[in-house]
Amino acid sequence: MRAGEGRTRQRGISFIGLLFVVVVLGCVGVVAAQLVPTLIEYQAIMKAAERAKAGTTVPEVRSLFDRGQAIDDFTAISGKDLDVQKVGDKVVVSFAYEKQIHLVGPAWLLMKYSGRTD
């Protein structure tokens, strides 16, 4: 028997492969850590819009939204940025805004959010 014939070949990830996987996961984690607060802010805006649709006039809807903004502490939009319409007998509040996240160097991630109450 020659040397090495009886051995099974080892399988697994090399150190360089492991290092590459860790770097990629680290980059994805950094981007995700910057995205999560914008998603939470969007949910707070949507919740404030749902509460604001209880108003009957445009100024009242915007005032209710601004109160929700003060409570949930978001800064992306305010009551003046809302599009308030009356569809049938229901008030519909819609909004749209953008968030930019700086990644590295000249690279930016642009998030476009929009929402509408039922």
Side-chain angles (χ1 to χ4, degrees):
M1 198 184 320
R2 287 190 274 181
E5 280 185 4
R7 297 185 203 175
T8 59
R9 184 176 165 119
Q10 292 183 356
R11 295 182 184 197
I13 190 166
S14 68
F15 178 71
I16 299 298
L18 178 65
L19 191 60
F20 178 75
V21 168
V22 167
V23 167
V24 169
L25 288 177
C27 291
V28 169
V30 167
V31 171
Q34 292 179 351
L35 283 178
V36 168
T38 67
L39 293 172
I40 293 170
E41 182 179 50
Y42 172 76
Q43 290 175 339
I45 290 170
M46 200 63 202
K47 188 169 75 171
E50 286 291 335
R51 279 189 253 135
K53 76 177 185 179
T56 55
T57 64
V58 173
E60 184 181 2
V61 169
R62 290 185 173 159
S63 174
L64 287 170
F65 185 83
D66 287 337
R67 276 191 235 143
Q69 178 187 18
I71 292 169
D72 290 332
D73 194 31
F74 56 83
T75 58
I77 64 171
S78 64
K80 65 180 169 55
D81 300 318
L82 298 177
D83 181 25
V84 182
Q85 298 175 350
K86 190 146 185 146
V87 177
D89 61 341
K90 296 186 338 185
V91 173
V92 176
V93 179
S94 57
F95 59 89
Y97 67 97
E98 296 179 350
K99 282 294 236 186
Q100 293 182 352
I101 298 171
H102 182 252
L103 297 175
V104 61
W108 289 79
L109 179 63
L110 176 65
M111 304 293 296
K112 293 185 177 186
Y113 291 103
S114 64
R116 178 183 169 139
T117 62
D118 295 328

